[in-house]
Amino acid sequence: EDVPCWNQPPSVTMTHAIPTSGFAYKYCQGLTRHYGKVFFLCMTIILAISTLCVVEYRFMVEQSEQTDYDWTVSSAVQSEQRDALEWARNERDDLDRRLRRFLKDEEDEKERERGDTKGTATIVYQHTQLDSVESIFTPENLQAMCQTENVLLGAEDYPNKCHDPEDHPIGYTTDKDDDGKKRRCAKPMLSVLSLYYLPWSPRSNQTSIYDKTSADYAFGAVSKADLGFMQLYTGTPVLYDVPSDAPTDDDDIWDGHVRKCKKLSGKYVKERTKQLVKLLDHSDDTRAILGFFLSKDVEDTETSEITRSQLVVQGSPLPGFKDEKDREDEQEDLHEALNRELEFIFWDFFNMTNTNMRSAYRTAASPINGSYPSVASIGDVDVRFMGPWSNFELDRMVNSDLMWVFGSVTFVLFYISIHTFSLWLGSMAMFQIFTSLPLAYFFYRVIGQIDYFVQLHILTIFLVLGVGADDVFVYVDAWKQARVDPRLDTQLKRVVYTWGHTAQSVFNTSFTTASAFFATALNPVMPISSFGIFAALAVIMNYVLTITLFPTVVLLWENEWRWCWAKLCRGKFERVPWGLEDPNPAESQAQVSPRELYLKDSGDRRSTGSVKTTHQSSSYTADTIPVVPTGDSVGEGSTGSSHSNPKAAAPAPSGDGKSVPFAKPNEELRPFERFFREYYAPAINWAPEGHSRLKPLSIALILAFVGLGSAGVYFATQLQPPTEQEQWFTADHMFTGFEDLNSDRFLSGADDEYAEMSIVFGIKGISRDEFVRWKPGDNRGAAIFDEDFDITTSAAHKALKAICKRMREAPCDITACVGGFGKLVKPDSLYCLIEEFDDWFTDNWNTTVKGEYDGDKDRPTGDEFLDELKEFAKARGGDYETQSSFGFFDDELKYVEVPFTATMLGFQPYSVTLSYYDAVHEALNEIYEDLGKERTKLGSEPFVYAGRHFTWVVTEKSLVDGVLTGFAICFPVAFVVLVVATGSPTVSAFAILTIALIVSTTLGFCQAIMGWALGVAESISSTIVIGFSVDYVVHLGHAYRESAEMSREGKTSDALTQMGITVVAGAVTTLGSGLFMWACQMTFFTKMAVLICAVITLSIAYALLLFMPLCAVFGPEGEMKSFMGYVQHYQGLLKSRIHHGRTSSQEASTAAGPYANPVAPPAGAEAVPRATLPLQHTR
């Protein structure tokens, strides 16, 4: 007589089968018998591997040397083109000759001391009222700017290290040192004060001479650009009159290397400002210079509310050094000393204070129209500055922020110790968490041969703090549940139960989490890929330690430390029997399922008449919930009947007098467990009588969270690469938005702020046979040259000249093109090899004998052209553009470049750079196609080289694609794992839906609420989001399957009671560790804090408030097995049927005698009716 599945026995407290043989049993038996030896063995292996990683491979001691190629997607076309050209530049034939020329022997002439620039400082000035539209150029403001720049120019060591080129266009400042030796420094040409504090010509006639007749014009041979330069910097009125009250004596302006900062006349400042605005239209060169100082809308408003200066901080090589490479480290130390001195002088000047908790560059002022004023100001001028010392600030803040890791660790240690009621367990849990990192590094570096390890990988500690603590909670909570289960009356049974529960439950979460991180290994951005691999290995190592080391830690606590504590406190200590003897053969079954225990228990009670069994409807209502008494109200021999008709037998009360559905007899619950058993589970399980699926609270929660998740999906799909520069500091930090301020607010940039590019002919690919992805700076490949390229023909010459001409005129109306030029190429910046060759060749052309030179007819071709080109290169030996515009390999010209300066500023946001990339390639391709057959000898389509500018666009795009690829991989993998773990596609589908909504809601929150784009920090954090989103759902899904209850309501109650406290504890530890990161100053860490806190909050909320209500309403019922359990079950059924079929056939054949053979009976024999033949199993 079977018992209906909806009437569950309260005496069944074990939620999964307890093995009494097999590997798991033998392993647990060995752990229990030799826990001390196993503990020391594990510790020895862990410490040995950790020591090896630290001593031999410098784990956490040294990091990989970072290069410009780390974040480059090496497989992208743009990266291959960049690498091919850079290889060709370095390997061409003329390299040795140039090296011999420029890097001569010891006796040759040294480079000029301080002749090259070494670092620049940019200072931006605007009104302290950031929204003011008044002109920044007033006498008072200019005086304040002058005092600010004197901070740098007046530094004690500045005259010894300043920039001192051989020929400087606006002159020098001089002083004498203590020994009377003259020291000279170049005047700061890109200082806005050089446009106002300059001595004007003392001529009696102060009017412009530009409009005089050519006979009297003193500057007739001077170019238009040079005239503009003279009007700007020399004080000579060649274009406009001398402003009123203009300074005329250089001694009134300079005092050694610093300005005297006298207050200028208001009339002079006003007239000079109008003059500067007019000069914008004089020439492209003048416009480019003035555009650096004036605001973008100055032509419309005729005022500039913002300006800036760029000062050369130092020169190189320093006195006493031959060149920049001479004793390079020693020179760098000297440069760094001045940079540090300058930073501290600026701090003192602006009363800025730096502490470990707060950077000196952060302001306490409130934002104005969403922008924070600078912490530095003088008078009414808001001052922002960045220089070579900026890296010091980055290092300071990173080191300061990493100190908060100790806060996270302390919190996790404290919470684990409180949760487990043991400092020993908490300490060993932290030891396990931290040692998982060197163990992961062993497999990452030693086994996997992945050399790349940087600060990014150290962030894994925040991940393993959450995952490792969660693993520990699963084991400790299962152990505590085993201790109060009367069936588990020996230590071996408890270890077998706890280890089996933890091994499977933690495996499910660890495998899905590791799979999510391994999915990022396919990310084309190498640092993200390597981070995912290392994080996955750390998760796996945590799991391995949880099932090897931590069981011995718990046994030591149970048998040794608790005994010592009892001795110290003179308390009682009763050791639980070991139970190490082998079980009786009759009891030595591979598995004892809850169903078999239930049937056995029901039969025993049925034989004694203690239970009256009736079959009833499976509908679950308020009147038919199986209820059992708990606590002290249940006697020792009481069964708490729930198998009789519930209407006939009223539900028994709990210890506080309330009815508790699905409670077990003598159930000892902690507060959180009691909350889930007595309050939350009944609430989501409740349904009106006769409507078991109509559970109002569950349905309301499902609708609410599915709606929230749907909104998250919508906003998550709006995530795009950043449209502004990545910000690494807080919003109130001076450096935040500094690059955007320089690129967006000014008419143009300095010459070195524009992107340098080249059009490349003759290179069609790259060979990378020895390239290793984890060493991005090494063996980046060799160029593959285009065999069709032949620049020696007249047709190729014409085609190249045509490309040069049309590219100069190519229009540009996108926002990426700045400076007001309206073109893709900055005027007078494109260098065309054929045009320069013609200019040189014309100088050597004998006009008298050969007539006027016609390049298209008279230019040499073939080998003669190559010979002349080599002579041209020698003649232009000091011309860098000539030297870099072509390359010979084995005396064959293999490629040609057309270098130019783009009208796009360098290192712009993704959308800006991408728009320019598309525009310049579209223009080039159009020109190339229009050339027709003339382009044949130029080879295949050329490409535009832009260094890191175009390759970074690919990186930003790949960051977005990599996140989506990771999602596309991890979700199917997680679904398969869940199906294998739970044996239920339904539960697995619920889990995947929940995980997907967690991830999408988190990313949607970042986009809609935080306003983030998918940049570097967000992409890295998104990788962690995938890992954190799966744990709690998988734990609850596994507990749902393990429940011995047959109804979905009972399984839901058991899952919440058994695993609810564990997932809440895991969420608290991870959330707590993430909260400490809110105190960080780097936005990278604060974004991680936001994402960790958001994903953990949403994960626990979705797991408890969506996943469990889904299970309560639609979850599967009946006995559930794991995937392997179902496989074994059906294998057993198949074998049973085969065996049963054979046995039945033999029995039937024996009983039927001669009539079993389907032939006619012998003559005279009595026919036996078919109905009287023995029945046979025919299925």
Side-chain angles (χ1 to χ4, degrees), residues 112-116 163-169 172 184-186:
R112 178 180 176 81
E113 287 184 356
R114 302 182 282 122
D116 296 328
H163 183 219
D164 181 22
E166 185 173 359
D167 185 19
H168 192 56
Y172 306 87
R184 188 178 79 166
C185 297

Side-chain angles (χ1 to χ4, degrees), residues 463 967 994-1003 1005-1006 1021-1033 1067 1070-1071 1074 1078 1087-1103:
L463 171 71
F967 292 160
T994 306
I995 294 170
L997 293 179
I998 292 171
V999 173
S1000 60
T1001 306
T1002 303
L1003 298 181
F1005 165 80
C1006 296
S1021 302
S1022 297
T1023 304
I1024 298 177
V1025 165
I1026 302 174
F1028 276 133
S1029 62
V1030 303
D1031 279 10
Y1032 309 139
V1033 175
T1070 310
L1071 192 63
W1078 283 82
K1087 285 182 177 181
M1088 279 195 64
V1090 171
L1091 276 168
I1092 289 176
C1093 293
V1095 72
I1096 292 302
T1097 302
L1098 291 170
S1099 293
I1100 193 67
Y1102 271 89

Side-chain angles (χ1 to χ4, degrees), residues 141-280:
N141 289 349
L142 288 170
Q143 187 178 38
M145 298 176 200
C146 182
Q147 294 168 359
T148 299
E149 294 186 15
N150 277 350
V151 173
L152 188 152
L153 301 176
E156 182 179 357
D157 208 21
Y158 174 76
N160 299 319
K161 299 177 181 178
C162 63
H163 183 219
D164 181 22
E166 185 173 359
D167 185 19
H168 192 56
I170 66 171
Y172 306 87
T173 59
T174 59
D175 74 346
K176 293 183 179 180
D177 60 15
D178 296 337
D179 298 330
K181 184 179 179 180
K182 183 178 179 180
R183 298 181 297 188
R184 188 178 79 166
C185 297
K187 288 183 178 179
M189 179 174 159
L190 283 183
S191 167
V192 66
L193 302 173
S194 296
L195 302 178
Y196 289 87
Y197 284 92
L198 74 162
W200 286 85
S201 173
R203 294 172 61 253
S204 57
N205 181 8
Q206 299 292 299
T207 60
S208 168
I209 60 175
Y210 183 66
D211 56 352
K212 290 194 173 183
T213 62
S214 59
D216 298 331
Y217 182 43
F219 304 101
V222 180
S223 69
K224 191 174 182 181
D226 290 338
L227 290 173
F229 186 87
M230 293 172 66
Q231 185 77 35
L232 283 176
Y233 287 109
T234 65
T236 305
V238 294
L239 300 175
Y240 303 106
D241 298 343
V242 175
S244 303
D245 301 330
T248 59
D249 191 350
D250 201 46
D251 291 337
D252 290 336
I253 299 173
W254 292 97
D255 181 12
H257 300 293
V258 299
R259 296 186 179 93
K260 293 183 178 180
C261 297
K262 293 182 178 180
K263 186 177 179 181
L264 299 172
S265 163
K267 190 174 183 181
Y268 164 73
V269 172
K270 186 175 181 180
E271 291 182 10
R272 177 59 169 167
T273 302
K274 289 183 178 180
Q275 189 178 101
L276 295 177
V277 175
K278 290 181 181 179
L279 281 169
L280 285 170

